[in-house]
Amino acid sequence: AEDFLATHDIDPQPMPDLSAEERGYGYVTFQRHWMDLVFPTSIPSEYEKTRKLQTWLTPGEEEPATFCLRTLQAIQHLEVKTGPLLSDTGARLAAPVVELVRCLPRTWQGEEWLYPDGPVGVMYMPSYLEHARPTDVTANRTVQYWLTIKTPENTAPGTYRGRISISARKTNTCTLDLQVDVLPVKLHQPIQTLGFWDFQRPYQQELGTLSTVYQTMKSHGINTVFTRSGLYEYEPKTDTYDFSKTISIDAAGCVTVRLQDSDLAHCLEAARQAGFQQVIYTPHLQFLIARETIARYDQATLT
Protein backbone atom coordinates (compact mmCIF):
# COMPACT_ATOMS: atom_id res chain seq x y z
CA ALA A 1 0.00 0.00 0.00
CA GLU A 2 2.90 2.39 0.62
CA ASP A 3 3.74 2.25 -3.09
CA PHE A 4 0.44 3.88 -4.10
CA LEU A 5 -1.23 7.17 -3.24
CA ALA A 6 -4.84 8.16 -3.91
CA THR A 7 -4.75 11.12 -6.31
CA HIS A 8 -7.74 13.40 -6.82
CA ASP A 9 -8.75 15.79 -9.58
CA ILE A 10 -9.64 19.14 -8.04
CA ASP A 11 -11.57 21.66 -10.12
CA PRO A 12 -10.81 25.09 -8.59
CA GLN A 13 -13.43 27.10 -10.45
CA PRO A 14 -16.61 28.14 -8.61
CA MET A 15 -20.06 27.02 -9.64
CA PRO A 16 -21.71 29.38 -12.14
CA ASP A 17 -24.78 31.39 -11.27
CA LEU A 18 -27.83 29.14 -11.07
CA SER A 19 -31.39 29.86 -12.10
CA ALA A 20 -34.39 29.08 -9.93
CA GLU A 21 -35.30 26.34 -12.41
CA GLU A 22 -31.89 24.66 -12.06
CA ARG A 23 -32.12 24.84 -8.28
CA GLY A 24 -35.55 23.25 -8.55
CA TYR A 25 -34.17 20.32 -10.53
CA GLY A 26 -31.35 19.88 -8.01
CA TYR A 27 -28.72 19.65 -10.76
CA VAL A 28 -27.19 21.54 -13.68
CA THR A 29 -26.84 20.10 -17.19
CA PHE A 30 -23.82 21.00 -19.28
CA GLN A 31 -21.87 19.70 -22.26
CA ARG A 32 -18.21 19.06 -23.01
CA HIS A 33 -16.59 17.51 -26.05
CA TRP A 34 -16.65 13.73 -25.84
CA MET A 35 -12.83 13.59 -26.00
CA ASP A 36 -12.44 15.78 -22.89
CA LEU A 37 -12.09 13.91 -19.60
CA VAL A 38 -14.91 14.53 -17.15
CA PHE A 39 -14.29 13.62 -13.50
CA PRO A 40 -16.78 13.27 -10.64
CA THR A 41 -15.32 16.56 -9.34
CA SER A 42 -15.66 18.50 -12.62
CA ILE A 43 -17.51 21.81 -12.33
CA PRO A 44 -19.27 23.41 -15.32
CA SER A 45 -18.38 26.80 -16.71
CA GLU A 46 -21.15 29.26 -17.50
CA TYR A 47 -20.72 28.79 -21.26
CA GLU A 48 -20.97 24.98 -20.91
CA LYS A 49 -24.46 25.02 -19.41
CA THR A 50 -27.00 23.91 -21.98
CA ARG A 51 -30.43 22.43 -22.58
CA LYS A 52 -29.67 21.55 -26.21
CA LEU A 53 -27.28 19.00 -27.71
CA GLN A 54 -26.20 19.13 -31.33
CA THR A 55 -24.01 16.87 -33.47
CA TRP A 56 -23.59 15.73 -37.05
CA LEU A 57 -22.70 12.53 -38.84
CA THR A 58 -22.97 10.80 -42.21
CA PRO A 59 -25.02 7.79 -43.40
CA GLY A 60 -23.60 4.52 -42.08
CA GLU A 61 -21.79 6.16 -39.17
CA GLU A 62 -21.96 6.20 -35.38
CA GLU A 63 -21.37 9.37 -33.41
CA PRO A 64 -21.59 10.17 -29.69
CA ALA A 65 -23.43 13.10 -28.17
CA THR A 66 -22.55 13.59 -24.53
CA PHE A 67 -23.86 15.67 -21.68
CA CYS A 68 -22.99 16.00 -18.01
CA LEU A 69 -25.05 16.51 -14.92
CA ARG A 70 -23.70 18.27 -11.80
CA THR A 71 -25.79 17.65 -8.71
CA LEU A 72 -26.61 20.40 -6.22
CA GLN A 73 -28.14 17.96 -3.77
CA ALA A 74 -28.51 14.20 -3.37
CA ILE A 75 -30.57 12.82 -6.28
CA GLN A 76 -32.51 9.58 -6.05
CA HIS A 77 -33.47 7.31 -8.93
CA LEU A 78 -31.89 9.49 -11.61
CA GLU A 79 -32.93 8.18 -15.02
CA VAL A 80 -32.26 9.31 -18.60
CA LYS A 81 -34.49 8.24 -21.50
CA THR A 82 -34.47 9.03 -25.21
CA GLY A 83 -36.85 8.56 -28.12
CA PRO A 84 -36.55 8.34 -31.92
CA LEU A 85 -35.27 11.27 -33.93
CA LEU A 86 -37.52 12.69 -36.67
CA SER A 87 -36.73 14.94 -39.64
CA ASP A 88 -38.95 17.62 -41.15
CA THR A 89 -39.75 15.23 -44.01
CA GLY A 90 -40.84 12.43 -41.68
CA ALA A 91 -37.65 10.35 -41.89
CA ARG A 92 -36.78 8.55 -38.67
CA LEU A 93 -33.66 7.55 -36.76
CA ALA A 94 -33.67 5.05 -33.91
CA ALA A 95 -33.40 6.40 -30.38
CA PRO A 96 -29.79 6.95 -29.25
CA VAL A 97 -28.30 4.31 -26.98
CA VAL A 98 -27.81 5.80 -23.50
CA GLU A 99 -24.75 4.78 -21.48
CA LEU A 100 -22.96 5.98 -18.36
CA VAL A 101 -19.27 6.85 -18.25
CA ARG A 102 -17.82 4.74 -15.47
CA CYS A 103 -14.77 5.87 -13.51
CA LEU A 104 -12.33 3.30 -12.12
CA PRO A 105 -9.11 3.63 -10.12
CA ARG A 106 -6.22 3.68 -12.58
CA THR A 107 -2.51 4.25 -12.12
CA TRP A 108 -1.59 7.77 -13.14
CA GLN A 109 0.72 8.00 -16.20
CA GLY A 110 1.33 4.27 -16.39
CA GLU A 111 2.88 3.55 -12.99
CA GLU A 112 5.36 6.43 -13.03
CA TRP A 113 6.38 7.83 -9.67
CA LEU A 114 4.15 10.70 -8.63
CA TYR A 115 7.03 12.09 -6.57
CA PRO A 116 10.75 11.22 -6.59
CA ASP A 117 11.22 7.75 -5.06
CA GLY A 118 7.47 7.12 -5.04
CA PRO A 119 4.65 6.55 -4.58
CA VAL A 120 2.59 5.88 -7.72
CA GLY A 121 -0.56 7.98 -8.02
CA VAL A 122 -3.91 6.20 -8.39
CA MET A 123 -6.86 8.26 -9.64
CA TYR A 124 -10.48 7.56 -10.49
CA MET A 125 -10.32 7.96 -14.27
CA PRO A 126 -13.14 7.80 -16.88
CA SER A 127 -12.55 4.24 -18.10
CA TYR A 128 -15.46 2.70 -20.01
CA LEU A 129 -19.17 2.80 -20.76
CA GLU A 130 -21.89 0.77 -19.09
CA HIS A 131 -25.61 0.59 -19.75
CA ALA A 132 -27.47 3.46 -18.12
CA ARG A 133 -29.80 2.57 -15.27
CA PRO A 134 -31.73 4.45 -12.57
CA THR A 135 -29.15 5.42 -9.99
CA ASP A 136 -28.71 7.49 -6.83
CA VAL A 137 -26.13 10.29 -7.00
CA THR A 138 -24.66 12.12 -4.03
CA ALA A 139 -24.59 15.92 -3.82
CA ASN A 140 -21.84 17.91 -5.55
CA ARG A 141 -20.97 15.13 -7.98
CA THR A 142 -20.72 15.11 -11.78
CA VAL A 143 -22.06 12.26 -13.91
CA GLN A 144 -21.48 11.99 -17.65
CA TYR A 145 -23.95 10.38 -20.04
CA TRP A 146 -22.98 9.10 -23.48
CA LEU A 147 -25.59 8.94 -26.24
CA THR A 148 -24.59 6.94 -29.31
CA ILE A 149 -26.47 7.80 -32.51
CA LYS A 150 -26.33 5.36 -35.41
CA THR A 151 -27.39 6.03 -39.00
CA PRO A 152 -28.08 3.19 -41.46
CA GLU A 153 -26.40 3.32 -44.86
CA ASN A 154 -29.64 4.46 -46.53
CA THR A 155 -30.38 7.31 -44.11
CA ALA A 156 -31.81 10.37 -45.88
CA PRO A 157 -29.72 13.53 -45.31
CA GLY A 158 -31.37 16.25 -43.27
CA THR A 159 -31.87 17.58 -39.75
CA TYR A 160 -33.31 15.17 -37.20
CA ARG A 161 -34.67 16.25 -33.84
CA GLY A 162 -35.57 14.50 -30.63
CA ARG A 163 -35.67 14.93 -26.87
CA ILE A 164 -33.84 13.60 -23.85
CA SER A 165 -35.83 13.16 -20.65
CA ILE A 166 -34.10 13.40 -17.25
CA SER A 167 -36.21 12.36 -14.27
CA ALA A 168 -35.63 11.75 -10.56
CA ARG A 169 -37.67 11.35 -7.41
CA LYS A 170 -39.08 14.52 -5.88
CA THR A 171 -37.92 16.71 -8.79
CA ASN A 172 -39.48 17.98 -11.98
CA THR A 173 -38.59 16.23 -15.24
CA CYS A 174 -35.94 18.10 -17.23
CA THR A 175 -35.92 17.93 -21.04
CA LEU A 176 -32.96 18.45 -23.36
CA ASP A 177 -33.38 19.05 -27.10
CA LEU A 178 -31.23 16.93 -29.42
CA GLN A 179 -30.47 17.96 -33.00
CA VAL A 180 -28.63 15.65 -35.40
CA ASP A 181 -27.57 16.83 -38.86
CA VAL A 182 -27.04 13.97 -41.33
CA LEU A 183 -24.74 15.22 -44.10
CA PRO A 184 -25.15 14.19 -47.77
CA VAL A 185 -21.67 12.65 -48.01
CA LYS A 186 -20.21 9.16 -47.73
CA LEU A 187 -17.06 8.50 -45.72
CA HIS A 188 -14.38 6.14 -47.07
CA GLN A 189 -13.21 3.28 -44.91
CA PRO A 190 -9.76 4.09 -43.48
CA ILE A 191 -6.86 2.15 -44.97
CA GLN A 192 -4.51 2.64 -42.03
CA THR A 193 -4.38 0.52 -38.90
CA LEU A 194 -6.75 1.81 -36.22
CA GLY A 195 -6.66 -0.19 -33.03
CA PHE A 196 -5.63 -0.54 -29.41
CA TRP A 197 -5.40 -3.20 -26.69
CA ASP A 198 -8.60 -5.23 -26.35
CA PHE A 199 -8.59 -4.85 -22.55
CA GLN A 200 -6.30 -5.25 -19.57
CA ARG A 201 -6.48 -8.45 -17.56
CA PRO A 202 -8.25 -6.99 -14.47
CA TYR A 203 -11.28 -5.99 -16.56
CA GLN A 204 -11.76 -9.13 -18.62
CA GLN A 205 -14.81 -10.28 -16.66
CA GLU A 206 -16.42 -6.82 -16.46
CA LEU A 207 -16.77 -5.77 -20.09
CA GLY A 208 -18.59 -8.76 -21.55
CA THR A 209 -17.38 -11.57 -23.80
CA LEU A 210 -14.48 -11.16 -26.20
CA SER A 211 -16.88 -11.13 -29.16
CA THR A 212 -19.00 -8.42 -27.51
CA VAL A 213 -15.96 -6.23 -26.88
CA TYR A 214 -14.65 -6.67 -30.44
CA GLN A 215 -18.06 -5.92 -31.97
CA THR A 216 -18.26 -2.74 -29.89
CA MET A 217 -14.78 -1.70 -30.98
CA LYS A 218 -15.66 -2.38 -34.62
CA SER A 219 -18.84 -0.30 -34.44
CA HIS A 220 -16.76 2.65 -33.20
CA GLY A 221 -14.36 2.52 -36.16
CA ILE A 222 -11.62 0.16 -34.98
CA ASN A 223 -10.30 -2.26 -37.64
CA THR A 224 -7.39 -3.90 -35.79
CA VAL A 225 -6.90 -5.22 -32.28
CA PHE A 226 -3.77 -5.49 -30.15
CA THR A 227 -4.20 -8.35 -27.72
CA ARG A 228 -2.46 -10.02 -24.81
CA SER A 229 -3.85 -13.37 -25.94
CA GLY A 230 -1.18 -15.77 -27.14
CA LEU A 231 -0.01 -19.37 -27.43
CA TYR A 232 0.54 -19.63 -23.70
CA GLU A 233 -1.20 -19.73 -20.35
CA TYR A 234 -0.12 -16.90 -18.10
CA GLU A 235 0.30 -17.47 -14.37
CA PRO A 236 0.09 -14.11 -12.55
CA LYS A 237 1.38 -15.36 -9.19
CA THR A 238 4.67 -16.58 -10.64
CA ASP A 239 4.73 -14.24 -13.67
CA THR A 240 5.44 -17.21 -15.97
CA TYR A 241 4.25 -18.30 -19.42
CA ASP A 242 3.32 -21.95 -20.05
CA PHE A 243 3.49 -23.00 -23.72
CA SER A 244 3.13 -26.76 -23.13
CA LYS A 245 -0.45 -27.05 -24.47
CA THR A 246 0.21 -25.25 -27.74
CA ILE A 247 3.88 -25.65 -28.71
CA SER A 248 6.07 -28.77 -28.61
CA ILE A 249 9.64 -29.34 -29.82
CA ASP A 250 10.93 -32.88 -30.47
CA ALA A 251 14.49 -34.13 -30.06
CA ALA A 252 15.34 -33.18 -33.65
CA GLY A 253 14.19 -29.63 -33.06
CA CYS A 254 10.96 -29.89 -35.07
CA VAL A 255 8.41 -27.40 -33.74
CA THR A 256 4.68 -28.22 -33.68
CA VAL A 257 2.14 -25.45 -32.99
CA ARG A 258 -1.47 -26.21 -32.06
CA LEU A 259 -3.76 -23.21 -32.38
CA GLN A 260 -6.95 -25.11 -31.50
CA ASP A 261 -8.53 -24.08 -28.18
CA SER A 262 -5.75 -21.59 -27.44
CA ASP A 263 -6.47 -18.05 -26.25
CA LEU A 264 -5.06 -16.76 -29.53
CA ALA A 265 -7.43 -18.98 -31.55
CA HIS A 266 -10.45 -17.62 -29.65
CA CYS A 267 -9.14 -14.10 -30.21
CA LEU A 268 -8.67 -14.70 -33.97
CA GLU A 269 -12.19 -16.09 -34.34
CA ALA A 270 -13.77 -13.18 -32.44
CA ALA A 271 -11.75 -10.75 -34.57
CA ARG A 272 -12.85 -12.50 -37.78
CA GLN A 273 -16.50 -12.25 -36.75
CA ALA A 274 -16.05 -8.54 -35.99
CA GLY A 275 -14.47 -7.92 -39.39
CA PHE A 276 -11.07 -6.77 -38.16
CA GLN A 277 -8.25 -6.53 -40.70
CA GLN A 278 -5.64 -8.06 -38.43
CA VAL A 279 -4.72 -9.14 -34.91
CA ILE A 280 -1.43 -7.97 -33.39
CA TYR A 281 -0.21 -9.85 -30.34
CA THR A 282 2.91 -10.25 -28.21
CA PRO A 283 4.17 -13.84 -28.60
CA HIS A 284 6.55 -13.88 -25.59
CA LEU A 285 8.43 -16.68 -27.36
CA GLN A 286 11.70 -15.55 -25.81
CA PHE A 287 10.71 -17.33 -22.59
CA LEU A 288 10.09 -20.60 -24.42
CA ILE A 289 13.26 -20.36 -26.51
CA ALA A 290 15.44 -19.55 -23.50
CA ARG A 291 14.06 -22.46 -21.49
CA GLU A 292 14.37 -24.95 -24.37
CA THR A 293 17.89 -23.82 -25.24
CA ILE A 294 19.14 -24.15 -21.68
CA ALA A 295 17.54 -27.61 -21.39
CA ARG A 296 19.17 -28.94 -24.63
CA TYR A 297 22.74 -27.78 -24.30
CA ASP A 298 25.34 -28.04 -21.59
CA GLN A 299 26.87 -24.94 -20.10
CA ALA A 300 30.12 -25.25 -22.06
CA THR A 301 28.26 -25.30 -25.38
CA LEU A 302 26.13 -22.35 -24.36
CA THR A 303 29.19 -20.39 -23.30
Side-chain angles (χ1 to χ4, degrees):
E2 62 272 12
D3 292 336
F4 298 91
L5 178 68
T7 308
H8 303 279
D9 176 78
I10 298 176
D11 194 334
Q13 68 177 338
M15 282 288 290
D17 293 334
L18 303 176
S19 66
E21 187 178 35
E22 288 169 335
R23 294 186 183 279
Y25 291 138
Y27 53 80
V28 179
T29 56
F30 66 100
Q31 185 180 35
R32 286 185 183 169
H33 192 279
W34 60 268
M35 291 186 70
D36 290 337
L37 293 180
V38 175
F39 296 92
T41 52
S42 295
I43 295 175
S45 300
E46 180 65 36
Y47 71 89
E48 292 179 316
K49 294 199 303 178
T50 186
R51 296 284 292 278
K52 180 179 181 179
L53 309 181
Q54 187 171 356
T55 189
W56 59 268
L57 67 171
T58 65
E61 189 185 359
E62 289 192 11
E63 187 72 20
T66 66
F67 76 92
C68 308
L69 187 148
R70 176 72 179 183
T71 60
L72 310 175
Q73 61 193 41
I75 301 294
Q76 294 183 328
H77 205 80
L78 179 68
E79 188 171 15
V80 174
K81 294 182 178 180
T82 62
L85 303 167
L86 303 177
S87 73
D88 295 336
T89 61
R92 180 187 180 101
L93 287 177
V97 177
V98 182
E99 293 169 299
L100 271 168
V101 178
R102 181 174 179 182
C103 292
L104 291 174
R106 305 290 295 272
T107 52
W108 183 248
Q109 295 182 345
E111 297 191 8
E112 295 178 4
W113 295 120
L114 186 64
Y115 305 105
D117 300 323
V120 173
V122 177
M123 178 185 286
Y124 268 86
M125 301 286 290
S127 298
Y128 60 81
L129 302 174
E130 62 181 27
H131 293 298
R133 64 198 183 283
T135 184
D136 297 340
V137 185
T138 58
N140 303 316
R141 187 178 180 91
T142 297
V143 181
Q144 185 177 28
Y145 285 90
W146 191 285
L147 283 66
T148 301
I149 304 154
K150 184 175 182 178
T151 53
E153 296 283 351
N154 61 350
T155 301
T159 298
Y160 293 74
R161 294 180 174 86
R163 291 196 168 185
I164 303 162
S165 172
I166 307 172
S167 62
R169 288 176 183 160
K170 299 181 180 179
T171 65
N172 296 327
T173 298
C174 176
T175 301
L176 304 182
D177 294 326
L178 175 60
Q179 177 179 317
V180 177
D181 293 312
V182 179
L183 305 183
V185 297
K186 177 66 177 176
L187 298 180
H188 290 293
Q189 291 295 322
I191 59 174
Q192 68 268 37
T193 296
L194 297 173
F196 46 83
W197 292 105
D198 44 14
F199 41 46
Q200 303 296 314
R201 292 191 185 99
Y203 305 124
Q204 286 193 12
Q205 304 306 316
E206 297 186 36
L207 302 178
T209 65
L210 196 65
S211 293
T212 299
V213 172
Y214 284 7
Q215 292 290 346
T216 301
M217 292 167 67
K218 176 65 175 179
S219 70
H220 284 80
I222 298 304
N223 58 32
T224 300
V225 64
F226 298 77
T227 182
R228 294 183 183 274
S229 298
L231 294 169
Y232 52 79
E233 292 184 355
Y234 177 71
E235 175 51 56
K237 292 183 178 179
T238 58
D239 192 27
T240 56
Y241 297 84
D242 181 7
F243 295 86
S244 60
K245 293 184 179 180
T246 55
I247 301 178
S248 60
I249 306 175
D250 64 17
C254 181
V255 180
T256 302
V257 178
R258 293 175 296 277
L259 271 175
Q260 185 177 4
D261 293 330
S262 67
D263 286 345
L264 183 58
H266 297 317
C267 171
L268 289 170
E269 176 58 23
R272 185 192 66 79
Q273 293 178 5
F276 287 157
Q277 295 178 2
Q278 56 188 331
V279 171
I280 301 173
Y281 76 104
T282 306
H284 292 299
L285 289 175
Q286 67 272 23
F287 300 113
L288 172 66
I289 294 171
R291 186 173 66 244
E292 288 287 331
T293 303
I294 292 172
R296 289 169 186 271
Y297 301 95
D298 58 37
Q299 188 61 46
T301 302
L302 291 173
T303 301

